[in-house]
Amino acid sequence: MSNGTYSSIRLTLFKHGGDSFLAALDEANIPHGPIHTFNSRPQASGLVEVITALSDAMPWNSIAKVIVAWIDARKSREIIIHTEAGYKLHAKGYSVAEIQKVLPESVNLIVIDTQPVDKENS
């Protein structure tokens, strides 16, 4: 989501995808940080992180490259991009250029890997 001053993307990491996706962001030097929420109602289990930067400095291309490479590394991986307008894009099968076009309008990325890292699933 962009408001002209800064941009941020919320990352909701499920199953076995959290550590490996955050490691991929770290390898690409894309800063991110945890979001701590407190609620008395039951919540979906998942780790929540955020990528935030000044709008002009947001590394859209680098984030798109990480998304495509991370998904392509294993068949069990999926990323769903949610936009401000309510559009959902399942990123599997899309190119870096196609993902990069959608990212500036995104508000949340759902990151899922259904298999543990130690299990072969290529």
Coordinates of all heavy atoms in Angstrom, one line a residue, residues 36-96:
H36 N 3.6 -7.2 15.9 CA 3.0 -7.8 17.1 C 1.6 -7.3 17.3 O 1.4 -6.1 17.4 CB 3.9 -7.5 18.3 CG 5.3 -8.0 18.2 ND1 5.6 -9.3 18.2 CD2 6.4 -7.3 18.0 CE1 6.9 -9.5 18.1 NE2 7.5 -8.3 17.9
T37 N 0.7 -8.2 17.3 CA -0.7 -7.8 17.5 C -1.3 -8.5 18.7 O -0.9 -9.6 19.1 CB -1.6 -8.3 16.3 OG1 -1.5 -9.7 16.1 CG2 -1.2 -7.6 15.0
F38 N -2.2 -7.8 19.4 CA -2.8 -8.3 20.6 C -4.3 -8.3 20.4 O -4.8 -7.2 20.1 CB -2.3 -7.5 21.8 CG -0.8 -7.5 22.0 CD1 -0.1 -6.5 21.5 CD2 -0.2 -8.6 22.6 CE1 1.3 -6.5 21.6 CE2 1.2 -8.6 22.7 CZ 1.9 -7.5 22.2
N39 N -4.9 -9.4 20.6 CA -6.4 -9.5 20.4 C -6.9 -10.5 21.3 O -6.3 -11.6 21.5 CB -6.6 -9.8 18.9 CG -8.1 -9.5 18.5 OD1 -9.0 -9.6 19.3 ND2 -8.2 -9.2 17.2
S40 N -8.1 -10.3 21.8 CA -8.7 -11.3 22.7 C -9.5 -12.4 22.0 O -9.9 -13.3 22.5 CB -9.7 -10.6 23.7 OG -10.7 -9.9 23.0
R41 N -9.7 -12.2 20.7 CA -10.4 -13.2 19.8 C -9.4 -14.1 19.2 O -8.2 -13.8 19.0 CB -11.1 -12.5 18.7 CG -12.2 -11.5 19.2 CD -12.9 -10.9 18.0 NE -13.8 -9.8 18.5 CZ -14.4 -9.0 17.7 NH1 -14.1 -9.0 16.4 NH2 -15.2 -8.1 18.2
P42 N -9.8 -15.4 18.9 CA -8.9 -16.3 18.2 C -8.4 -15.8 16.9 O -9.2 -15.1 16.2 CB -9.8 -17.5 18.0 CG -11.0 -17.4 18.9 CD -11.2 -15.9 19.1
Q43 N -7.2 -16.0 16.6 CA -6.5 -15.6 15.4 C -6.0 -16.7 14.6 O -5.7 -17.8 15.2 CB -5.4 -14.6 15.7 CG -5.8 -13.4 16.5 CD -6.6 -12.5 15.7 OE1 -6.2 -12.0 14.6 NE2 -7.8 -12.1 16.2
A44 N -5.9 -16.6 13.3 CA -5.3 -17.6 12.4 C -3.8 -17.7 12.8 O -3.2 -16.7 13.2 CB -5.4 -17.2 11.0
S45 N -3.3 -18.9 12.9 CA -1.9 -19.0 13.3 C -1.0 -18.7 12.1 O -1.2 -19.1 11.0 CB -1.6 -20.4 13.7 OG -1.9 -21.4 12.7
G46 N -0.1 -17.8 12.3 CA 0.8 -17.4 11.2 C 1.7 -16.3 11.8 O 1.3 -15.5 12.6
L47 N 2.9 -16.2 11.2 CA 3.8 -15.1 11.6 C 3.5 -13.9 10.7 O 3.2 -14.1 9.5 CB 5.2 -15.6 11.3 CG 6.4 -14.7 11.5 CD1 6.5 -14.3 13.0 CD2 7.6 -15.3 11.0
V48 N 3.5 -12.7 11.3 CA 3.2 -11.5 10.5 C 4.4 -10.6 10.5 O 5.0 -10.3 11.6 CB 2.0 -10.8 11.0 CG1 1.7 -9.5 10.2 CG2 0.8 -11.7 11.1
E49 N 4.9 -10.2 9.3 CA 6.0 -9.3 9.1 C 5.6 -8.2 8.2 O 4.5 -8.3 7.6 CB 7.2 -10.0 8.5 CG 7.8 -11.1 9.3 CD 9.1 -10.6 10.1 OE1 9.8 -9.7 9.6 OE2 9.3 -11.2 11.1
V50 N 6.4 -7.2 8.1 CA 6.0 -6.1 7.2 C 7.3 -5.6 6.6 O 8.4 -5.6 7.2 CB 5.3 -4.9 8.0 CG1 6.2 -4.2 9.0 CG2 4.7 -3.9 7.0
I51 N 7.2 -5.2 5.3 CA 8.2 -4.5 4.6 C 7.8 -3.1 4.4 O 6.7 -2.8 3.9 CB 8.5 -5.1 3.2 CG1 8.9 -6.6 3.3 CG2 9.5 -4.3 2.4 CD1 8.9 -7.3 1.9
T52 N 8.5 -2.1 4.9 CA 8.2 -0.7 4.8 C 9.4 0.1 4.3 O 10.5 -0.2 4.7 CB 7.7 -0.2 6.2 OG1 6.7 -1.0 6.7 CG2 7.3 1.3 6.1
A53 N 9.1 1.1 3.4 CA 10.2 1.9 2.9 C 9.5 3.2 2.4 O 8.3 3.3 2.2 CB 10.9 1.2 1.8
L54 N 10.4 4.2 2.3 CA 9.9 5.4 1.6 C 9.4 5.0 0.2 O 10.0 4.1 -0.4 CB 11.0 6.5 1.5 CG 11.5 7.0 2.8 CD1 12.7 7.9 2.6 CD2 10.4 7.8 3.5
S55 N 8.4 5.6 -0.3 CA 7.8 5.1 -1.6 C 8.8 5.0 -2.7 O 8.8 4.1 -3.5 CB 6.6 6.1 -2.0 OG 5.5 5.9 -1.1
D56 N 9.6 6.0 -2.8 CA 10.6 6.1 -3.9 C 11.7 5.0 -3.7 O 12.4 4.7 -4.6 CB 11.3 7.4 -4.0 CG 10.3 8.5 -4.5 OD1 9.2 8.1 -5.1 OD2 10.5 9.7 -4.3
A57 N 11.9 4.5 -2.5 CA 12.9 3.6 -2.2 C 12.4 2.1 -2.0 O 13.3 1.2 -1.8 CB 13.6 4.0 -0.9
M58 N 11.2 1.9 -2.2 CA 10.6 0.5 -2.1 C 11.2 -0.3 -3.2 O 11.1 0.0 -4.4 CB 9.1 0.5 -2.1 CG 8.5 -0.8 -1.8 SD 8.9 -1.5 -0.2 CE 7.4 -1.4 0.6
P59 N 11.8 -1.5 -2.8 CA 12.5 -2.3 -3.9 C 11.5 -3.3 -4.6 O 11.6 -4.5 -4.4 CB 13.5 -3.1 -3.0 CG 12.9 -3.2 -1.7 CD 12.1 -1.9 -1.5
W60 N 10.6 -2.7 -5.3 CA 9.5 -3.5 -5.9 C 10.1 -4.7 -6.8 O 9.7 -5.8 -6.7 CB 8.6 -2.7 -6.8 CG 7.9 -1.6 -6.0 CD1 8.0 -0.3 -6.2 CD2 6.9 -1.8 -5.0 NE1 7.2 0.4 -5.3 CE2 6.5 -0.5 -4.5 CE3 6.4 -2.9 -4.3 CZ2 5.6 -0.3 -3.5 CZ3 5.5 -2.7 -3.2 CH2 5.1 -1.4 -2.9
N61 N 11.1 -4.3 -7.6 CA 11.7 -5.3 -8.5 C 12.4 -6.4 -7.7 O 12.2 -7.6 -8.0 CB 12.7 -4.7 -9.4 CG 13.2 -5.6 -10.5 OD1 12.5 -6.4 -11.1 ND2 14.5 -5.7 -10.7
S62 N 13.1 -6.1 -6.6 CA 13.8 -7.1 -5.8 C 12.8 -8.0 -5.1 O 12.9 -9.2 -5.0 CB 14.7 -6.4 -4.8 OG 15.7 -5.7 -5.4
I63 N 11.7 -7.4 -4.6 CA 10.6 -8.2 -4.0 C 10.0 -9.1 -5.0 O 9.8 -10.3 -4.7 CB 9.6 -7.3 -3.3 CG1 10.2 -6.5 -2.2 CG2 8.4 -8.1 -2.7 CD1 9.3 -5.3 -1.7
A64 N 9.7 -8.7 -6.2 CA 9.1 -9.5 -7.2 C 10.1 -10.7 -7.5 O 9.6 -11.8 -7.7 CB 8.8 -8.7 -8.4
K65 N 11.4 -10.4 -7.6 CA 12.3 -11.5 -7.9 C 12.4 -12.5 -6.8 O 12.4 -13.7 -7.1 CB 13.7 -10.9 -8.1 CG 13.9 -10.1 -9.4 CD 15.3 -9.5 -9.5 CE 15.5 -8.8 -10.8 NZ 16.8 -8.1 -10.9
V66 N 12.3 -12.1 -5.6 CA 12.3 -13.0 -4.4 C 11.0 -13.9 -4.5 O 11.1 -15.1 -4.3 CB 12.4 -12.3 -3.1 CG1 12.1 -13.2 -1.9 CG2 13.8 -11.6 -2.9
I67 N 9.9 -13.3 -4.8 CA 8.6 -14.0 -4.8 C 8.7 -15.1 -5.9 O 8.4 -16.3 -5.6 CB 7.5 -13.1 -5.1 CG1 7.2 -12.2 -3.9 CG2 6.2 -13.8 -5.5 CD1 6.2 -11.1 -4.1
V68 N 9.1 -14.7 -7.1 CA 9.2 -15.7 -8.2 C 10.2 -16.8 -7.9 O 9.9 -18.0 -8.1 CB 9.4 -15.0 -9.5 CG1 9.7 -16.0 -10.6 CG2 8.3 -14.1 -9.9
A69 N 11.4 -16.5 -7.5 CA 12.4 -17.5 -7.2 C 12.0 -18.4 -6.1 O 12.2 -19.6 -6.1 CB 13.7 -16.8 -6.9
W70 N 11.4 -17.8 -5.0 CA 11.0 -18.6 -3.9 C 9.9 -19.6 -4.3 O 10.0 -20.8 -3.9 CB 10.5 -17.7 -2.7 CG 10.2 -18.4 -1.5 CD1 11.1 -18.8 -0.5 CD2 8.9 -18.8 -1.0 NE1 10.5 -19.4 0.5 CE2 9.1 -19.5 0.2 CE3 7.6 -18.8 -1.5 CZ2 8.1 -20.0 1.0 CZ3 6.6 -19.3 -0.8 CH2 6.8 -19.9 0.5
I71 N 8.9 -19.2 -5.0 CA 7.9 -20.1 -5.5 C 8.5 -21.2 -6.4 O 8.1 -22.4 -6.3 CB 6.8 -19.3 -6.2 CG1 6.0 -18.5 -5.2 CG2 5.8 -20.3 -7.0 CD1 5.0 -17.5 -5.9
D72 N 9.3 -20.8 -7.3 CA 9.9 -21.7 -8.3 C 10.8 -22.8 -7.7 O 11.0 -23.8 -8.3 CB 10.6 -21.0 -9.4 CG 9.7 -20.2 -10.4 OD1 8.5 -20.5 -10.3 OD2 10.2 -19.4 -11.1
A73 N 11.3 -22.5 -6.5 CA 12.2 -23.4 -5.9 C 11.6 -24.8 -5.4 O 12.2 -25.8 -5.3 CB 12.9 -22.8 -4.7
R74 N 10.2 -24.7 -5.1 CA 9.5 -25.9 -4.6 C 8.1 -25.9 -5.1 O 7.4 -24.9 -5.1 CB 9.6 -26.0 -3.1 CG 11.0 -26.1 -2.6 CD 11.0 -26.2 -1.1 NE 10.2 -27.3 -0.7 CZ 10.1 -27.8 0.6 NH1 10.8 -27.2 1.5 NH2 9.4 -28.8 0.9
K75 N 7.6 -27.1 -5.5 CA 6.2 -27.2 -5.9 C 5.2 -26.9 -4.8 O 4.1 -26.5 -5.0 CB 5.9 -28.6 -6.4 CG 6.7 -28.9 -7.7 CD 6.4 -30.3 -8.1 CE 7.2 -30.7 -9.4 NZ 7.0 -32.0 -9.8
S76 N 5.6 -27.1 -3.5 CA 4.7 -26.9 -2.4 C 4.5 -25.4 -2.0 O 3.8 -25.2 -1.0 CB 5.2 -27.7 -1.2 OG 6.5 -27.2 -0.8
R77 N 5.1 -24.5 -2.7 CA 5.0 -23.1 -2.3 C 4.0 -22.3 -3.1 O 3.8 -22.5 -4.3 CB 6.4 -22.4 -2.5 CG 7.4 -23.0 -1.5 CD 8.8 -22.4 -1.7 NE 9.7 -22.9 -0.7 CZ 10.9 -22.6 -0.6 NH1 11.5 -21.8 -1.6 NH2 11.7 -23.0 0.4
E78 N 3.4 -21.3 -2.4 CA 2.4 -20.4 -3.0 C 2.5 -19.1 -2.3 O 2.7 -19.0 -1.1 CB 1.0 -21.1 -2.9 CG -0.1 -20.2 -3.4 CD -0.1 -20.0 -4.9 OE1 -0.6 -20.9 -5.7 OE2 0.4 -18.9 -5.4
I79 N 2.2 -18.0 -3.1 CA 2.1 -16.7 -2.5 C 0.8 -16.1 -3.1 O 0.7 -16.1 -4.4 CB 3.3 -15.8 -2.8 CG1 4.5 -16.4 -2.0 CG2 3.0 -14.4 -2.4 CD1 5.8 -15.6 -2.2
I80 N 0.0 -15.6 -2.3 CA -1.3 -14.9 -2.7 C -1.1 -13.5 -2.4 O -0.9 -13.1 -1.3 CB -2.5 -15.5 -2.0 CG1 -2.6 -17.0 -2.3 CG2 -3.8 -14.8 -2.6 CD1 -3.5 -17.8 -1.4
I81 N -1.3 -12.6 -3.4 CA -1.1 -11.2 -3.3 C -2.5 -10.6 -3.2 O -3.3 -10.8 -4.1 CB -0.3 -10.6 -4.5 CG1 1.1 -11.2 -4.6 CG2 -0.2 -9.1 -4.3 CD1 1.8 -10.9 -5.8
H82 N -2.8 -9.8 -2.1 CA -4.0 -9.1 -2.0 C -3.8 -7.6 -2.2 O -2.9 -7.0 -1.7 CB -4.6 -9.3 -0.5 CG -5.0 -10.7 -0.2 ND1 -6.3 -11.1 -0.2 CD2 -4.2 -11.8 0.1 CE1 -6.3 -12.4 0.1 NE2 -5.1 -12.8 0.3
T83 N -4.6 -7.0 -3.0 CA -4.5 -5.6 -3.3 C -5.5 -4.8 -2.5 O -6.4 -5.3 -2.0 CB -4.7 -5.3 -4.8 OG1 -6.1 -5.5 -5.1 CG2 -3.8 -6.1 -5.7
E84 N -5.3 -3.4 -2.5 CA -6.2 -2.5 -1.9 C -7.6 -2.6 -2.4 O -8.6 -2.4 -1.7 CB -5.7 -1.1 -2.0 CG -4.5 -0.7 -1.2 CD -4.0 0.7 -1.4 OE1 -3.5 1.0 -2.5 OE2 -4.2 1.5 -0.5
A85 N -7.7 -2.9 -3.7 CA -9.0 -3.0 -4.3 C -9.7 -4.3 -4.1 O -10.9 -4.5 -4.6 CB -8.9 -2.8 -5.8
G86 N -9.1 -5.2 -3.3 CA -9.7 -6.5 -3.0 C -9.4 -7.6 -4.0 O -9.9 -8.7 -4.0
Y87 N -8.5 -7.3 -5.0 CA -8.1 -8.3 -6.0 C -7.1 -9.3 -5.3 O -6.3 -8.9 -4.5 CB -7.4 -7.6 -7.1 CG -6.9 -8.5 -8.3 CD1 -7.8 -9.2 -9.1 CD2 -5.6 -8.6 -8.5 CE1 -7.4 -10.0 -10.1 CE2 -5.1 -9.4 -9.5 CZ -6.0 -10.1 -10.3 OH -5.5 -10.9 -11.3
K88 N -7.2 -10.6 -5.7 CA -6.3 -11.6 -5.2 C -5.6 -12.2 -6.4 O -6.2 -12.6 -7.4 CB -7.1 -12.7 -4.5 CG -7.7 -12.3 -3.2 CD -8.4 -13.5 -2.6 CE -9.3 -13.0 -1.4 NZ -10.1 -14.1 -0.9
L89 N -4.3 -12.3 -6.3 CA -3.5 -12.9 -7.4 C -2.7 -14.1 -6.8 O -1.9 -13.9 -5.9 CB -2.5 -11.9 -8.0 CG -1.5 -12.4 -9.0 CD1 -2.2 -12.7 -10.3 CD2 -0.4 -11.4 -9.2
H90 N -2.9 -15.3 -7.3 CA -2.0 -16.4 -7.0 C -0.8 -16.3 -7.8 O -0.8 -16.4 -9.0 CB -2.7 -17.7 -7.2 CG -3.8 -17.9 -6.2 ND1 -3.7 -18.8 -5.1 CD2 -5.1 -17.4 -6.2 CE1 -4.8 -18.8 -4.5 NE2 -5.7 -18.0 -5.0
A91 N 0.4 -16.0 -7.2 CA 1.6 -15.6 -7.9 C 2.3 -16.7 -8.7 O 3.1 -16.5 -9.5 CB 2.6 -15.0 -6.9
K92 N 1.9 -18.0 -8.4 CA 2.6 -19.1 -9.0 C 2.3 -19.0 -10.5 O 1.2 -18.9 -11.0 CB 2.0 -20.4 -8.5 CG 2.8 -21.6 -8.9 CD 2.3 -22.9 -8.3 CE 2.9 -23.0 -6.9 NZ 2.6 -24.3 -6.3
G93 N 3.4 -19.1 -11.3 CA 3.3 -19.1 -12.8 C 3.5 -17.7 -13.4 O 3.5 -17.6 -14.6
Y94 N 3.5 -16.6 -12.6 CA 3.7 -15.3 -13.1 C 5.1 -14.9 -13.2 O 6.0 -15.4 -12.4 CB 2.9 -14.3 -12.3 CG 1.4 -14.3 -12.5 CD1 0.6 -15.2 -11.8 CD2 0.8 -13.5 -13.4 CE1 -0.8 -15.2 -12.0 CE2 -0.5 -13.5 -13.6 CZ -1.3 -14.4 -12.9 OH -2.7 -14.4 -13.1
S95 N 5.4 -14.0 -14.1 CA 6.8 -13.5 -14.3 C 7.1 -12.4 -13.3 O 6.2 -11.8 -12.6 CB 7.0 -13.0 -15.7 OG 6.3 -11.7 -15.8
V96 N 8.4 -12.1 -13.2 CA 8.9 -11.0 -12.3 C 8.2 -9.7 -12.7 O 7.7 -8.9 -11.9 CB 10.4 -10.9 -12.3 CG1 10.8 -9.6 -11.6 CG2 11.0 -12.1 -11.7

